[in-house]
């Protein structure tokens, strides 16, 4: 029972929607955060011309057996209906969007954007009426365009209730003035006080922005821990779709927070080389995941995986996706090895084990992999992000290290008929422009394309190689795939 609970917990953090953990400036708060799904939303393959690279032989950890937990079915959610053009008058749209969300009809859920909070004080918020600055980032980097998007921030007492008179929230407009946030209450929100920060009429795909927010708690506010919740919704007319929300553990200064938190911030992960387009039926597209353990302690075992999601809700088959990793197989043979794609027969979420092994203190390196889509793969948007966990077996001690990258958006397009080939030539990606991380969270953007055969091109030990990922972690991922569009918890360390 103990091992099952641990597996379920790591499954929960593995795939809780394309959400950022430590890979954006917004997550560079005073306290790191990890993800655990909670409840449902409101309303509720090898290139024959590529030689096998040489990888130094190092000892790899023995695989750890795990229970065979089948992946649950992903809910059959239809793509949202076409939406009317956004209203040009932003002020008027803001006023309309700030109406109580529970009065609208909830059409369902969005895979993004991700709304995150930075600046949560370690020692708690003062209850003296003074302002505490926060930064709320709306990251649509791995998602399609969203009309009329409103970010929100909520406070929900743990063991008590906040009165509206005890909490003040303001946000800075584009013009640089502070404006009171719109307070929304109601049965749908329970004891939460929800504040909204205006509406973006057209939140473009693969874009992000940050809102300066400040919050104050009045003198006499009950000293208690509480949840600080970041979320958001898209509203068109009387229809609302909610993006994933995230809960952070917070408290008033002096409160004792006894909520269990078995997770700590793991190595920072960055997916590099994602192109703007990938051709269906094309050749390999070369990508990498940067694993940056700078400033962190060594991990005896750490597994890195990949998630592919269809934010357009167009289903695919696992057989239409091929992924190979530059690593060792279970027999110790180094080279490009096929990684199994885990999902239902048809789905909008896909999990892939990449590789795993020990990570030295402050070590940084790249996990190289390549991807291709079959000629009959449905065209459209694909979100790609990486996750990692030190949960490698039932005896892994807590706290467990957990990591997550920013999501990256690409589009599967039809292969060109006038190229004389099948596209996606490894130069890289048939001429498509790669997307690399420029946020500075890891201090590097990694590399794309062919790498000459080193799995770990940089770092304190350039000879580091990992073994191909095992089925156990992907099975754990499968148990959490359906949580990809629900709410999840970000508990501070």
């Amino acid at each position: 029972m103990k091992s099952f609970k641990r597996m379920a917990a790591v499954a929960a953090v593995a795939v809780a929607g394309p959400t950022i953990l430590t890979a954006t400036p917004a997550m560079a708060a005073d306290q790191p955060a990890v993800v655990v799904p909670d409840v449902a939303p409101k309303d509720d393959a090898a290139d024959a011309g590529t030689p096998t690279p040489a990888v130094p032989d190092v000892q790899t950890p023995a695989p750890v057996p795990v229970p065979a937990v089948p992946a649950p079915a992903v809910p059959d959610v239809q793509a949202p209906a076409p939406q009317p053009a956004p209203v040009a008058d932003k002020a008027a749209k803001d006023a309309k969007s700030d109406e109580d969300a529970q009065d609208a009809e909830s059409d369902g859920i969005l895979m993004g954007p991700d709304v995150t909070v930075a600046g949560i004080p370690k020692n708690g918020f003062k209850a003296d009426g003074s302002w505490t600055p926060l930064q709320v980032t709306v990251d649509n980097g791995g998602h399609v365009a969203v009309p009329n998007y409103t970010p929100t921030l909520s406070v929900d007492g743990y063991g008590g209730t906040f009165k509206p008179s005890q909490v003040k929230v303001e946000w800075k407009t584009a013009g640089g003035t502070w404006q009171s946030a719109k307070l929304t209450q109601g049965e749908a929100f329970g004891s939460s006080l929800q504040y909204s920060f205006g509406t973006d009429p057209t939140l473009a795909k693969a874009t992000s922005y940050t809102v300066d927010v400040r919050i104050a708690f009045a003198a006499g506010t009950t000293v208690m821990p509480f949840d600080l919740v970041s979320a958001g919704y898209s509203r068109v007319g009387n229809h609302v779709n909610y993006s994933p929300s995230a809960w952070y553990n917070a408290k008033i200064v002096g409160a004792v927070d006894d909520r269990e938190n078995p997770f700590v911030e793991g190595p920072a992960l960055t997916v590099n080389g994602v192109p703007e387009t990938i051709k269906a039926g094309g050749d390999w597209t070369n990508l990498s995941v940067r694993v940056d353990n700078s400033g962190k302690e060594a991990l005896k075992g750490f597994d890195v995986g990949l998630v592919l999601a269809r934010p357009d809700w167009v289903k695919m088959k696992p057989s239409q996706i091929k992924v190979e990793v530059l690593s060792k197989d279970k027999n110790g043979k180094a080279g490009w090895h096929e990684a199994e794609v885990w999902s239902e027969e048809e789905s909008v979420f896909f999990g892939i084990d990449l590789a795993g092994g020990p990570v030295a203190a402050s070590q940084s390196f790249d996990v190289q992999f390549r991807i291709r889509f079959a000629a009959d793969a449905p065209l459209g948007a694909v979100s790609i992000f990486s996750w990692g966990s030190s949960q490698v077996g039932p005896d892994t001690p807590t706290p467990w290290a957990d990591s997550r990258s920013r999501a990256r958006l690409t589009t599967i397009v039809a292969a060109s008929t006038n190229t004389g080939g099948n596209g996606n030539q490894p130069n890289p990606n048939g001429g498509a422009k790669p997307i690399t991380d420029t946020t500075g969270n890891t201090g590097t953007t990694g590399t794309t394309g062919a790498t000459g055969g080193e799995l770990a091109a940089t770092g304190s030990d350039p000879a580091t190689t990992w073994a191909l990922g095992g089925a156990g972690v992907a099975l754990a991922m499968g148990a959490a795939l359906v949580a990809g569009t629900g709410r999840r918890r970000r508990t501070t360390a």
Side-chain angles (χ1 to χ4, degrees):
M1 178 62 71
K2 183 178 181 180
S3 63
F4 179 80
K5 287 183 177 179
R6 289 189 172 183
M7 185 175 180
V10 72
V13 302
V15 187
T19 302
I20 299 79
L21 265 185
T22 58
T24 70
M27 293 309 299
D30 291 339
Q31 306 180 42
V34 297
V35 175
V36 178
D38 198 76
V39 298
K42 293 184 181 69
D43 205 35
D44 339 277
D47 185 346
T50 303
T52 299
V55 183
D57 183 19
V58 298
Q59 184 177 3
T60 57
V64 180
V66 297
V69 180
V74 177
D76 185 7
V77 182
Q78 300 298 321
Q83 306 289 1
V87 178
D89 187 343
K90 188 176 187 301
K93 178 55 62 178
D94 286 353
K96 183 175 183 179
S97 295
D98 276 339
E99 298 174 3
D100 289 350
Q102 70 268 32
D103 292 337
E105 178 182 349
S106 178
D107 291 335
I109 49 185
L110 302 169
M111 292 188 190
D114 298 296
V115 184
T116 55
V117 182
I120 301 173
K122 289 181 179 180
N123 297 324
F125 293 84
K126 296 179 180 179
D128 59 3
S130 62
W131 292 110
T132 298
L134 301 172
Q135 295 77 45
V136 176
T137 293
V138 178
D139 186 352
N140 206 38
H143 193 60
V144 295
V146 181
N148 306 322
Y149 190 78
T150 304
T152 64
L153 190 68
S154 303
V155 293
D156 189 4
Y158 180 73
T161 302
F162 290 112
K163 299 177 181 179
S165 61
Q166 295 175 325
V167 185
K168 290 181 62 177
V169 180
E170 295 184 349
W171 61 286
K172 186 179 289 187
T173 66
T177 60
W178 287 100
Q179 177 174 321
S180 295
K182 172 71 175 182
L183 171 61
T184 304
Q185 293 179 270
E187 183 178 350
F189 299 99
S191 60
S192 294
L193 303 178
Q194 184 184 85
Y195 301 86
S196 55
F197 315 118
T199 299
D200 189 328
T202 306
L203 181 56
K205 70 175 184 179
T207 60
S208 304
Y209 67 91
T210 297
V211 181
D212 287 325
V213 175
R214 59 187 186 185
I215 185 170
F217 294 88
T221 299
T222 303
V223 176
M224 62 180 171
F226 64 94
D227 289 328
L228 191 65
V229 186
S230 56
Y233 59 89
S234 168
R235 178 170 184 167
V236 178
N238 201 42
H239 299 275
V240 174
N241 287 322
Y242 294 92
S243 64
S245 58
W247 281 300
Y248 296 82
N249 283 3
K251 65 180 181 179
I252 301 297
V253 171
V256 176
D257 193 346
D258 57 358
R259 288 172 289 188
E260 182 181 1
N261 176 28
F263 299 98
V264 297
E265 182 183 17
L269 302 179
T270 308
V271 179
N272 288 305
V274 179
E276 294 178 344
T277 61
I278 299 180
K279 297 176 182 178
D283 288 330
W284 292 109
T285 293
N286 297 286
L287 308 174
S288 66
V289 173
R290 182 72 172 176
V291 180
D292 186 353
N293 202 38
S294 298
K296 299 182 178 70
E297 296 181 358
L299 297 171
K300 293 182 178 180
F302 188 73
D303 294 314
V304 172
L306 194 72
V307 174
L308 305 182
R310 293 296 300 251
D312 54 9
W313 295 99
V314 174
K315 291 185 176 181
M316 295 178 62
K317 300 177 181 179
S319 60
Q320 293 171 323
I321 306 169
K322 296 296 182 184
V323 177
E324 289 189 347
V325 187
L326 185 58
S327 63
K328 289 183 176 182
D329 63 14
K330 62 182 180 180
N331 298 317
K333 181 180 179 181
W336 289 105
H337 300 292
E338 184 174 358
E340 187 167 359
V341 178
W342 295 82
S343 185
E344 295 298 305
E345 184 176 351
E346 286 190 328
S347 179
V348 293
F349 290 107
F350 304 88
I352 301 102
D353 281 319
L354 292 182
V359 180
S362 296
Q363 183 185 24
S364 298
F365 56 92
D366 297 303
V367 176
Q368 319 262 351
F369 67 98
R370 57 189 186 183
I371 187 171
R372 68 195 305 179
F373 295 103
D376 63 347
L379 309 184
V382 175
S383 180
I384 302 176
F385 66 96
S386 179
W387 61 273
S389 175
S390 64
Q391 173 67 4
V392 295
D395 297 324
T396 302
T398 58
W400 310 322
D402 184 75
S403 305
R404 193 167 195 118
S405 78
R406 290 187 63 187
R408 296 299 188 191
L409 189 69
T410 189
T411 302
I412 303 176
V413 298
S416 303
T417 58
N418 58 356
T419 60
N422 58 353
N424 295 345
Q425 300 299 331
N427 60 344
N429 313 318
K433 180 182 178 182
I435 303 172
T436 55
D437 192 298
T438 58
T439 61
N441 69 293
T442 64
T444 178
T445 57
T447 57
T448 60
T451 60
E454 284 189 334
L455 174 61
T458 60
S460 59
D461 182 8
T464 298
T465 57
W466 277 2
L468 185 69
V473 177
L475 283 171
M477 282 181 58
L481 284 174
V482 293
T485 50
R487 297 180 178 181
R488 69 270 175 189
R489 180 175 297 277
R490 293 176 182 266
T491 52
T492 56

